[in-house]
Amino acid sequence: MAYTFTQSRELFQRAARVIPQGIYGHFNPSTTIPGSYPYFISRAKGPRFWDVDGNEYIDYSCAYGPMILGYAHDRVDEAFATQARKGTATMPPSTLLIDLAEKMVEVNDCADWAMFAKNGADTTSWALVLARGYRRRNKIVLANGGYHGTQPWAGSNHTGISPADRADIIMVPWGDLDSFQRIVDENKGQIAGAMFTPYHHPVFEQQVLPAPGYWQGMRRICDENDIVLMIDDVRAGWRLDIKGSAHYFGFKPDLACYCKAIANGYPISALVGTDKMRIVASKAFQTGSYWNNSPEMAAALACIDEMQKIDAAGICDARGLQLRRGLEECAAARGLQFNMSGPNAIPFLHFTNEKNFKRAQLFCKECSLHGVFFFWHHNMFLSAAHTEDDIRKTVDVADRAFKTVKEHFGG
Ligand SMILES: Cc1ncc(COP(=O)(O)O)c(C=O)c1O
C-alpha cells in the first residue's frame, strides 16, 4: 500500500499561516513534489524515521549529513544529557573545550589547533576572515556551484544581496587547475585564499571526484602564490575519512571547516588550521552566544570516539557501495540509463538520459511512497546505522520504482 500524508498536509497548512514557505531551507516545498513526501516527522531512530501519519522510512537524507551513527544514538545522546545536567551555556567554558580541541588535533591530519562554533557557515565565514587577515589581501576564489552556506559572500542566495557583498569573490570551475592558475596569474598578489569543497557536490548536478594530481596541483599553485588553501569539509567531513577528506585525497589545506556529522546531530562546528594560521586565528575576534556550550562538545567527543571505534567512514562506504551496485544493476536490468555519482557514502542519483529530472522525481516519489526516503536534487548520505538488510530492502523498493519509471517513460 502506498503511503498517504493526510496529517502532513494539514500541518503544512497550519505552518504556512505563520512561517514563510511553511517549511524554510533545505526541505522547503519547492524541492518536494506535492504528494511525494511527508512534511513533518514524529520520531527517528537508527537509520529510520516515522512521519506524522505513522509511515516508516529508511532514511538516506541523514538530516542532510549530521546523522552518521543513527538517529537517537544512545551513547552520544547520553553524553549530551549528562553534560547538560551540569549546565549548558557557561562563561568561562568547561574543560571539554580543551578535550575536544585535543581530539580534533589528534584525529585530524591538518589540525594543529581547533576552534568551535555552531554552524558550517560560521566556520566558512571565519576561514575567509583568517585568510584575509593572514595575507592582508582581499580577493577570494570559490568554485562555480559550490555551497558554503547562505551568507552574502557565498553567493547561494540572490535576494537581498548587494554587489559589494561579492566584489572580491572570483569564481572558477571546480576541478580545473588551468582556470585556477589563470585567475591567479591575472590577480597576482591580490588573492588571499581559495575555498573549495574536497570533491564537487553541486545541487541538481552529478558529483565530481578530483582527477589524480588535482589537489596536489592546487596545493602547489597556492604555495607558489602565498594563497591560503581552505577546505570546506562541512558536508563530506567524517564520512570519507576520520582524518578529514583532505587526507583522503592526499593533501594538506591550511584551514579546514567541519560541521554536520561531528556530533551526530547536535549543533557544533569546528574550524581547524595549521600552525602558520595560529597567530591570525588568535587576533581575529570571533564568538557566538552558544559557541562555548559544553553539552554539544560532550556529544562531539562521544561521536568522534564512536566513529573511530567502529570505522564509521568504512561502514558508510561499504553500505554505499552495496546501494550503488544494487540500484545500478536493477536500473540496467530494466533498460534504464541511471547512475550514482560521487563517493559511495554520499551518492547523487541520476537518470543520464534526462535533464529535467522527471524520471528522477517519479523514481524518488515511488520510493518515498513505499518507505525509502531518497531525493533527486541533492546528494544523499549513508550512515553507519544502515545495515546490509536495510540496503537489500531499499534495493527491492527501488526495483519496483524503476519498473514504474520504465512503464511511464519507456526508457
Ligand atoms: C559544503 C557546505 N558548506 C557549508 C554549509 C553550511 O553549513 P550550515 O548550513 O551548517 O551553516 C553546508 C551546508 O549544507 C555545506 O554543505
Side-chain angles (χ1 to χ4, degrees):
M1 274 283 282
Y3 290 174
T4 54
F5 306 114
T6 317
Q7 294 293 326
S8 260
R9 269 206 309 275
E10 281 178 25
L11 286 162
F12 187 79
Q13 282 166 8
R14 208 178 114 203
R17 284 195 279 275
V18 286
I19 302 165
Q21 289 187 294
I23 301 171
Y24 43 82
H26 284 126
F27 203 65
N28 79 70
S30 67
T31 61
T32 62
I33 309 301
S36 311
Y37 288 102
Y39 288 128
F40 294 96
I41 73 150
S42 58
R43 72 188 173 93
K45 181 74 186 164
R48 289 181 165 67
F49 68 75
W50 289 261
D51 72 17
V52 286
D53 287 281
N55 304 313
E56 176 179 325
Y57 302 84
I58 304 175
D59 174 34
Y60 292 89
S61 78
C62 293
Y64 273 110
M67 187 283 268
I68 189 164
L69 296 174
Y71 291 111
H73 188 268
D74 289 341
R75 179 174 172 198
V76 179
D77 289 2
E78 186 51 37
F80 180 91
T82 303
Q83 186 62 26
R85 284 191 284 275
K86 299 180 191 166
T88 52
T90 60
M91 189 61 60
S94 91
T95 54
L96 290 178
L97 176 65
I98 314 168
D99 296 341
L100 185 56
E102 283 174 349
K103 189 76 180 169
M104 291 297 293
V105 170
E106 175 203 317
V107 297
N108 198 280
D109 215 22
C110 63
D112 292 319
W113 53 264
M115 296 168 82
F116 303 99
K118 289 287 112 196
N119 286 295
D122 297 334
T123 64
T124 54
S125 295
W126 198 356
L128 251 61
V129 167
L130 297 195
R132 286 175 166 150
Y134 180 72
R135 274 287 150 240
R136 295 177 185 272
R137 299 172 183 168
N138 292 333
K139 293 189 180 174
I140 298 287
V141 183
L142 305 177
N144 297 325
Y147 182 75
H148 305 293
T150 59
Q151 53 284 52
W153 62 261
S156 45
N157 209 348
H158 297 292
T159 307
I161 306 295
S162 112
D165 290 325
R166 289 181 45 85
D168 288 314
I169 302 290
I170 305 173
M171 306 300 291
V172 296
W174 191 96
D176 182 346
L177 270 185
D178 292 343
S179 295
F180 184 63
Q181 180 74 67
R182 184 176 47 76
I183 289 295
V184 169
D185 292 342
E186 285 170 9
N187 294 271
K188 247 329 184 225
Q190 299 174 63
I191 297 174
M195 177 179 287
F196 296 99
T197 53
Y199 78 95
H200 197 34
H201 44 62
V203 201
F204 300 115
E205 283 174 43
Q206 301 227 49
Q207 304 190 105
V208 185
L209 292 170
Y214 168 70
W215 276 118
Q216 295 67 31
M218 287 294 291
R219 182 69 269 181
R220 179 183 50 74
I221 298 171
C222 287
D223 286 343
E224 286 169 1
N225 294 276
D226 295 329
I227 293 170
V228 175
L229 181 56
M230 297 170 276
I231 284 305
D232 176 351
D233 214 1
V234 166
R235 190 177 308 177
W238 312 101
R239 267 193 172 74
L240 301 187
D241 195 318
I242 191 90
K243 294 183 178 172
S245 302
H247 178 264
Y248 185 80
F249 291 120
F251 72 103
K252 268 197 183 187
D254 302 306
L255 294 170
C257 306
Y258 292 95
C259 184
K260 297 212 183 264
I262 187 171
N264 202 48
Y266 288 102
I268 181 164
S269 55
L271 178 66
V272 305
T274 55
D275 265 329
K276 79 173 189 190
M277 304 303 295
R278 190 188 289 264
I279 292 178
V280 71
S282 55
K283 281 191 192 161
F285 180 70
Q286 295 286 329
T287 188
S289 298
Y290 305 107
W291 286 16
N292 282 340
N293 276 26
S294 55
E296 291 89 317
M297 292 181 185
L301 277 161
C303 181
I304 296 169
D305 198 55
E306 187 70 13
M307 287 192 286
Q308 261 181 312
K309 199 170 94 192
I310 65 172
D311 182 18
I315 299 174
C316 290
D317 179 63
R319 299 292 179 270
L321 181 62
Q322 187 190 347
L323 181 69
R324 178 193 295 250
R325 284 194 178 138
L327 262 56
E328 288 180 351
E329 280 167 17
C330 288
R334 295 206 179 269
L336 292 166
Q337 296 173 49
F338 171 90
N339 74 13
M340 307 265 276
S341 62
N344 295 326
I346 315 173
F348 177 79
L349 64 82
H350 183 61
F351 288 82
T352 54
N353 56 335
E354 70 174 9
K355 286 200 165 56
N356 59 9
F357 301 107
K358 294 286 182 210
R359 289 170 184 77
Q361 287 170 351
L362 178 61
F363 173 72
C364 290
K365 174 179 180 177
E366 285 300 305
C367 288
S368 169
L369 295 184
H370 296 90
V372 168
F373 198 77
F374 275 166
F375 35 74
W376 54 272
H377 65 294
H378 191 286
N379 62 257
M380 306 187 294
F381 298 85
L382 275 292
S383 81
H386 287 94
T387 62
E388 289 180 16
D389 194 45
D390 291 328
I391 307 293
R392 275 193 289 274
K393 286 183 180 141
T394 300
V395 172
D396 281 350
V397 169
D399 189 40
R400 290 195 294 276
F402 282 131
K403 181 169 180 280
T404 307
V405 171
K406 176 76 180 176
E407 284 164 2
H408 199 84
F409 290 96

